[in-house]
Amino acid sequence: MGTYTLNINNQSLKVEAEADTPLLWVLRDELDMKGTKFGCGKALCGACTVHLNGNPVRSCSIPVSALQNMKITTIEGLSIDGSHPVQRAWMEIDVPQCGYCQAGQIMSAAALLNGNKNPTEAEIETAMSGNICRCGTYPRIKQAIEKAIELSK
């Protein structure tokens, strides 16, 4: 068991965990941040997506020991009040059906728009291809990303 200091949502947080404990479980079990979801545990579905130094990553596959000096942003840190353009667009378009995958979807979309303010349809599809929605809300997800682009202008 080791002690790790992590920069999560612009806060320095200390956690005790085994070196190989995935970030997902540190967030959920040690820090009580339940917004990041467990989906497959193999980095295939995208439900556990967070930002690591601004890039979307699957928190189920990154050990806590590899995160020193890195900036981690979870869905809770995207905005406190839901005012991020992607969150606002998700609400306006009413994207979720069951909602389970949506935090990961939002985090992938936010990372895309942080790096590309006006992505093409192909770039949106590529950026979102790693996120699976079992309810099939893909058309609304795409529509919400397009709405977020408008809201960001």
Side-chain angles (χ1 to χ4, degrees), residues 20-28 36-39 41-43 46-52 56-64 67 72-74:
D20 62 348
T21 303
L23 173 60
L24 171 66
W25 299 118
V26 169
L27 293 171
R28 292 184 60 80
T36 304
K37 304 297 186 215
F38 171 76
K42 299 186 182 296
C48 68
T49 302
V50 298
H51 296 173
L52 186 59
V57 297
R58 307 305 185 243
S59 64
C60 71
S61 65
I62 300 172
V64 67
L67 298 169
I72 301 160
T73 305
T74 68

Side-chain angles (χ1 to χ4, degrees), residues 135-153:
C135 298
T137 64
Y138 299 114
R140 291 196 310 257
I141 290 168
K142 184 175 171 281
Q143 189 179 9
I145 293 170
E146 291 167 349
K147 181 70 173 179
I149 293 167
E150 288 175 31
L151 293 171
S152 297
K153 291 181 181 178

